[in-house]
Amino acid sequence: AKSTTISGVDRLVYATIADALEVIPRTLAENCGADTIRLITKLRAEHFGDKNPNLGINGVTGKLEDMTKAGVWDTFEVKVQSLKTAIESSCMLLRIDDIVSGISRK
């Protein structure tokens, strides 16, 4: 939703990171045997407009549940560090790719 409010190349960054982070609930839904497409669509609809930002997938039942009531807490610092690590790893892989492709051209 945030990527739709941004214009230019910066929009692609937001959209790509959002797609990458969606792997987490998608994998959780698949692993608990839920109908992944319907569950993710419902989760997106509930998160849109910050209607219920604490809603998540219960890994046991495969249903949407308020994570604060379920006692699941993610700290902001953990999320920020995870994103930083992922971005740094991606940049490092791109640098390595540039080096390898530069060597193969010679």
Side-chain angles (χ1 to χ4, degrees):
K2 176 77 173 170
S3 66
T4 59
T5 63
I6 299 171
S7 62
V9 177
D10 293 340
R11 180 177 192 260
L12 296 174
V13 175
Y14 278 88
T16 303
I17 289 176
D19 287 342
L21 289 176
E22 193 176 84
V23 168
I24 298 166
R26 183 177 304 278
T27 303
L28 187 59
E30 288 172 0
N31 288 344
C32 68
D35 184 355
T36 306
I37 295 172
R38 287 183 191 212
L39 197 60
I40 295 297
T41 303
K42 189 174 180 182
L43 183 62
R44 278 184 182 169
E46 290 293 326
H47 280 179
F48 186 76
D50 289 331
K51 283 197 274 185
N52 192 351
N54 297 322
L55 202 65
I57 298 173
N58 183 324
V60 177
T61 64
K63 298 185 191 258
L64 295 182
E65 187 174 336
D66 188 334
M67 293 292 108
T68 55
K69 292 179 183 173
V72 178
W73 296 94
D74 270 340
T75 59
F76 181 72
E77 290 82 14
V78 172
K79 290 179 182 180
V80 168
Q81 188 58 47
S82 297
L83 287 174
K84 284 181 182 179
T85 303
I87 292 170
E88 288 172 4
S89 298
S90 299
C91 290
M92 183 176 61
L93 288 171
L94 290 172
R95 281 190 219 115
I96 291 170
D97 186 50
D98 285 344
I99 292 169
V100 170
S101 65
I103 291 172
S104 64
R105 288 185 193 154
K106 290 183 180 179

